[in-house]
Amino acid sequence: MSTRRKDVAKAYITYRQERTKIRESSGTYVKNIENKLNVENNEMQNANVDEESFGGRMGEASDANLKAYALNYCMPKWMAEKHLNNEIYIHDLSHYALGDHNCLTIPFDKLLANGFNTRQTDVRPANSVSTAFQLVAVLFQLQSLNQFGGVSASHLDWTMVPYVRKSFYKHYCDGVKYICDVADSVYDHINNNLPIDSEEYTRCDTYNYAMDMTTREVYQAVEAMYHNLNTLQSRSGNQLPFTSINYGTCTLPEGRMIIKALLEVSIEGIGSLHRTSIFPCGIFQCMKGVNRELGDPNYDLFKLALESTAKRLYPNYANVDWSGNAGYDKNDPRTYFSTMGCRTANGYDINGFGQLKDGRGNICPVTIILPTIAMEAKDMANHVAAKNKNGTTLIEWNISLVDNFINLLDEKIHQAKDMLIERFEYICSQSPASAKFMWENGTMEGYIPEEGIRSALKHGTIVIGQLGLAECLQILIGTDHTTKEGMELAKRIEQLFKDRCAEFKQEYKLNFGVYYTPAENLCYTAMTKFKEKYGEIPNVSENKFFTNSMHVPVWKEMSPFEKIDIESQLTGYSSAGCITYVELDSGVKNNIDSLEVLVNYAMDKDIPYFAINVPNDMCMDCGYTDEINDTCPQCGSTNIQRLRRVTGYLTGNYTTAFNLGKQEEVEKRFQHSKMLRGWKND
Ligand SMILES: [Zn+2]
């Protein structure tokens, strides 16, 4: 063959190869789109997204390709490999290439006082409590379109105080006007020598009139907000914004009025059947001297919160006295410990905002899949040991599996750090035009236009999450952290996370934090991948899900106090968010005092964020709500909706909205109240 013909042949082969590559890749591309458009294999990745809807299908179809694009073109190859290899998971990968960030605590005080701009118009400052609550819903919605995760209010009771006052003033003026009218009519009566109706005078109590009207307005405004947040679909109409509201510490009469209304509407439920509302996630902020004990000014509201929790699962409880929020300002509720419903929290800002929560959020997370790392450490150990036995190598194996794991984990934590910095800088490189609402109105604090959006993003957190501590410990030492031995190693692991994040924070001047990941979908997908590689291992991969973060496995039989005792030994290592839950039976409704003991116990054990799971089954025909077996005891219907908590948030019927892993997890959840003697009849 001549050189020229050889070249032609070679070129042709290369061409064919390239065509095949393109065809194959477009094949995957087409397949991805088809699967998602036809809702084949609906994985229910996010319990609050309707993957069957038009908006859901559009989102899912484009997500599939945006994920592939991100892995191939937006990061170094090794990072994509860590993700694909089930070692370090990159969250919300479909948003990577877009470059938006995760979540935000909205600075409502500022936005309600100053008004804000949208693409179509500008909005004037709120002048009444009803307008203020409407604007809260609007702001939640608008901000959620500028990011991919949740939105929260850090102290909604304090935020609303000026607007309660404005409403009261209006109603008072109306009252005064009414008195003037009465005075006029009395004057007319005297002039015309007619008798005077004495009842007119007694109705002239302006203060009580204004109070009544304000209370009514607050109640209606709160009701409207609950309805808005459960109906205003966002993100192409396929999901509600993930909204959370923190409250409970304001002892002013105006703030108390707000807290009371928030709780009463929560207890009442929404819609014609008085359903438990999914959003907003209510979070009651417990604070010593404010609402914890009999005699505290807001103790009555704490009791009301417990009543709501027993019936509606919300509110959850945030611990304002948590040691991890040290350095907060008692006179500034914007610095009180607050959280996103899921658990993500703003820790101390190294770039000048300290414990300020408002206008800050998580920028991006990654999660280290601990059981994979444990298996890799084990494989390495076996490999070296085998070589020694055959005498083919002279390496002396004198490092224990645990030490080997710790070294390997340290390496992964460093890699996770590099992956976070890579994405953080990518997010910082986006044009402010991509999120005009956010940058024009300063919903993320600290933005200096001349310096670019990094000036604000640097106040957010970038966090290293973890999944499956319990299974990881089983692989390493054959027991989890419910034993003394397991707990010792658990602490060693968490200490490593904590130390490294603290070092990175100083070195890079970015808010690295330890994160006990929600892993709503990951608990299932990571386990599926793990099994494909390692098969079923007893106590490790027999289920369809990995245990959440550092939680005690859901099936472990213990009392709620024991569960708190164990998890509270680890919550202090996390600065970027964690949650502890306990499972109770529906008898708790008649046992508010015991519930109070439990919440106080968790707070005293320095748990930052605590939630209580109570079965919440509702008959869709008559609205009866309790723990329901197969048929409604009131009307006999079998149309039952079963609400359960996923990450911190609630969701619709868990048997249809949760992925298979989470469904199994729910079914395996042990009811901790079973271990309490006399719980039901106390
Ligand atoms: Zn019924």
Side-chain angles (χ1 to χ4, degrees):
M1 215 190 280
S2 76
T3 318
R4 163 134 182 84
R5 277 186 62 195
K6 260 191 209 160
D7 284 351
V8 172
K10 205 171 156 192
Y12 182 71
I13 290 165
T14 313
Y15 168 78
R16 292 293 313 161
Q17 281 171 344
E18 271 171 15
R19 285 300 306 162
T20 312
K21 216 164 125 188
I22 290 166
R23 210 173 43 241
E24 274 173 3
S25 67
S26 67
T28 324
Y29 170 82
V30 171
K31 192 100 196 81
N32 275 344
I33 289 206
E34 276 177 359
N35 279 345
K36 296 298 180 183
L37 284 181
N38 301 332
V39 207
E40 281 168 24
N41 187 18
N42 183 350
E43 287 166 340
M44 296 170 287
Q45 298 196 14
N46 179 326
N48 282 300
V49 174
D50 180 359
E51 291 179 32
E52 307 261 351
S53 68
F54 286 130
R57 282 158 61 197
M58 183 177 84
E60 291 295 314
S62 76
D63 279 5
N65 292 301
L66 282 169
K67 280 180 191 172
Y69 182 85
L71 289 172
N72 287 318
Y73 303 105
C74 298
M75 65 185 79
K77 206 174 162 202
W78 73 262
M79 293 185 185
E81 279 167 1
K82 293 291 137 198
H83 175 83
L84 293 170
N85 203 29
N86 217 22
E87 294 173 62
I88 305 172
Y89 182 83
I90 303 168
H91 289 269
D92 301 280
L93 190 56
S94 59
H95 283 263
Y96 199 115
L98 287 172
D100 49 349
H101 80 283
N102 184 7
C103 61
L104 191 79
T105 302
I106 298 176
F108 282 111
D109 298 2
K110 177 178 90 176
L111 292 161
L112 294 179
N114 302 343
F116 52 91
N117 296 311
T118 67
R119 200 157 51 139
Q120 289 78 13
T121 184
D122 67 290
V123 176
R124 284 193 300 268
N127 251 323
S128 70
V129 73
S130 49
T131 316
F133 268 108
Q134 270 177 30
L135 293 184
V136 164
V138 169
L139 286 163
F140 269 143
Q141 168 107 344
L142 288 168
Q143 177 57 33
S144 75
L145 294 168
N146 285 252
Q147 48 169 77
F148 57 79
V151 278
S152 75
S154 63
H155 55 286
L156 196 55
D157 43 356
W158 293 94
T159 299
M160 287 295 165
V161 167
Y163 308 101
V164 176
R165 286 177 184 163
K166 284 186 180 191
S167 285
F168 179 83
Y169 176 72
K170 275 186 190 172
H171 294 305
Y172 191 81
C173 289
D174 286 349
V176 169
K177 192 172 162 291
Y178 175 71
I179 291 179
C180 292
D181 289 347
V182 171
D184 283 350
S185 92
V186 169
Y187 185 71
D188 284 350
H189 279 62
I190 292 168
N191 275 350
N192 297 320
N193 204 17
L194 293 165
I196 298 160
D197 182 2
S198 63
E199 271 185 30
E200 291 274 293
Y201 290 107
T202 53
R203 271 193 272 156
C204 288
D205 183 348
T206 327
Y207 177 82
N208 279 328
Y209 166 82
M211 274 305 277
D212 275 1
M213 293 302 283
T214 308
T215 310
R216 212 177 296 178
E217 186 184 338
V218 165
Y219 198 89
Q220 281 169 356
V222 168
E223 235 175 8
M225 181 191 69
Y226 272 81
H227 278 103
N228 280 332
L229 296 183
N230 286 284
T231 49
L232 290 172
Q233 303 270 335
S234 173
R235 295 176 186 153
S236 320
N238 67 6
Q239 70 171 260
L240 292 168
F242 281 54
T243 51
S244 309
I245 52 172
N246 294 260
Y247 57 85
T249 62
C250 184
T251 53
L252 298 168
E254 299 89 342
R256 285 177 45 79
M257 193 186 275
I258 295 292
I259 300 167
K260 191 159 180 270
L262 287 167
L263 290 168
E264 281 176 354
V265 173
S266 166
I267 292 169
E268 182 71 13
I270 56 167
S272 55
L273 292 178
H274 298 272
R275 294 180 183 219
T276 298
S277 70
I278 308 283
F279 290 112
C281 171
I283 301 157
F284 190 88
Q285 293 167 296
C286 290
M287 190 174 183
K288 277 184 189 156
V290 173
N291 52 31
R292 291 274 308 270
E293 285 173 16
L294 187 64
D296 287 351
N298 280 3
Y299 177 70
D300 57 331
L301 298 171
F302 178 42
K303 281 283 200 187
L304 193 61
L306 295 165
E307 196 185 319
S308 175
T309 302
K311 192 168 181 197
R312 303 293 185 183
L313 287 96
Y314 288 154
N316 303 337
Y317 296 85
N319 188 354
V320 174
D321 303 299
W322 180 45
S323 61
N325 199 46
Y328 82 94
D329 179 357
K330 237 184 163 156
N331 298 314
D332 185 356
R334 296 177 308 160
T335 66
Y336 289 7
F337 179 71
S338 68
T339 177
M340 291 280 153
C342 64
R343 75 194 63 184
T344 313
N346 292 320
Y348 190 89
D349 176 30
I350 194 172
N351 292 312
F353 287 166
Q355 291 293 14
L356 179 75
K357 310 301 173 201
D358 285 22
R360 297 177 58 215
N362 172 251
I363 309 304
C364 55
V366 293
T367 290
I368 297 182
I369 298 163
L370 294 173
T372 303
I373 314 307
M375 288 307 288
E376 283 176 5
K378 205 169 184 176
D379 280 355
M380 279 166 69
N382 289 339
H383 189 59
V384 174
K387 269 188 171 177
N388 278 338
K389 216 159 98 188
N390 296 339
T392 51
T393 171
L394 293 173
I395 299 169
E396 201 180 325
W397 185 248
N398 59 3
I399 180 168
S400 76
L401 171 59
V402 168
D403 290 336
N404 195 27
F405 169 79
I406 293 288
N407 289 339
L408 197 59
L409 178 62
D410 200 8
E411 194 182 295
K412 304 296 169 190
I413 292 174
H414 279 83
Q415 288 168 347
K417 175 260 296 177
D418 291 337
M419 290 164 77
L420 285 173
I421 291 175
E422 177 81 19
R423 188 172 189 178
F424 177 79
E425 296 300 343
Y426 183 82
I427 292 170
C428 289
S429 74
Q430 301 304 310
S431 158
S434 302
K436 267 193 183 155
F437 171 78
M438 180 162 75
W439 300 123
E440 282 183 2
N441 296 298
T443 56
M444 191 180 280
E445 292 286 5
Y447 178 45
I448 304 164
E450 306 79 62
E451 289 180 19
I453 61 175
R454 196 181 199 281
S455 55
L457 288 160
K458 71 179 181 190
H459 300 290
T461 64
I462 52 179
V463 298
I464 303 181
Q466 57 182 271
L467 175 67
L469 176 67
E471 289 83 1
C472 168
L473 293 169
Q474 287 284 0
I475 296 167
L476 296 175
I477 54 173
T479 177
D480 60 35
H481 50 306
T482 55
T483 65
K484 191 167 167 277
E485 191 195 359
M487 181 54 85
E488 266 169 32
L489 180 52
K491 285 183 178 171
R492 195 174 155 198
I493 292 170
E494 298 308 333
Q495 189 67 47
L496 182 67
F497 273 101
K498 189 179 178 180
D499 289 347
R500 289 295 176 257
C501 282
E503 289 161 25
F504 299 153
K505 194 166 177 172
Q506 289 302 327
E507 187 179 346
Y508 297 93
K509 297 286 176 246
L510 290 173
N511 296 310
F512 281 92
V514 181
Y515 186 44
Y516 291 156
T517 313
E520 168 188 340
N521 186 46
L522 185 61
C523 74
Y524 171 56
T525 55
M527 177 57 99
T528 308
K529 270 189 167 181
F530 184 92
K531 275 191 203 175
E532 279 165 17
K533 191 162 182 180
Y534 301 108
E536 268 199 21
I537 303 169
N539 296 320
V540 175
S541 52
E542 291 158 316
N543 296 317
K544 291 197 181 88
F545 62 94
F546 277 125
T547 296
N548 189 289
S549 61
M550 56 56 179
H551 283 173
V552 168
V554 293
W555 60 86
K556 288 266 169 179
E557 300 188 2
M558 59 179 66
S559 79
F561 298 101
E562 286 171 285
K563 184 159 194 285
I564 292 167
D565 285 343
I566 295 170
E567 290 185 6
S568 65
Q569 294 182 58
L570 299 175
T571 49
Y573 293 95
S574 161
S575 58
C578 63
I579 189 170
T580 285
Y581 339 92
V582 295
E583 303 283 325
L584 304 181
D585 58 72
S586 58
V588 68
K589 284 198 197 76
N590 311 315
N591 208 340
I592 303 298
D593 291 344
S594 303
L595 195 58
E596 179 185 349
V597 171
L598 197 56
V599 173
N600 276 330
Y601 187 81
M603 296 298 121
D604 289 340
K605 285 275 172 170
D606 210 26
I607 295 260
Y609 183 36
F610 183 62
I612 292 146
N613 293 337
V614 185
N616 186 301
D617 301 332
M618 193 187 88
C619 172
M620 299 302 280
D621 290 322
C622 75
Y624 178 85
T625 304
D626 204 329
E627 192 167 8
I628 304 176
N629 289 331
D630 296 328
T631 54
C632 169
Q634 194 162 280
C635 78
S637 166
T638 53
N639 187 9
I640 312 294
Q641 174 189 264
R642 299 175 193 282
L643 278 189
R644 297 293 182 273
R645 192 185 305 277
V646 224
T647 58
Y649 298 114
L650 301 182
T651 188
N653 203 348
Y654 86 88
T655 56
T656 53
F658 285 16
N659 63 58
L660 294 175
K662 268 285 163 203
Q663 281 183 36
E664 192 188 76
E665 192 236 75
V666 167
E667 274 145 27
K668 291 204 167 197
R669 287 179 186 176
F670 174 73
Q671 234 164 37
H672 303 105
S673 50
K674 279 184 188 150
M675 305 297 274
L676 296 176
R677 234 177 295 151
W679 168 260
K680 270 190 174 172
N681 306 317
D682 269 0

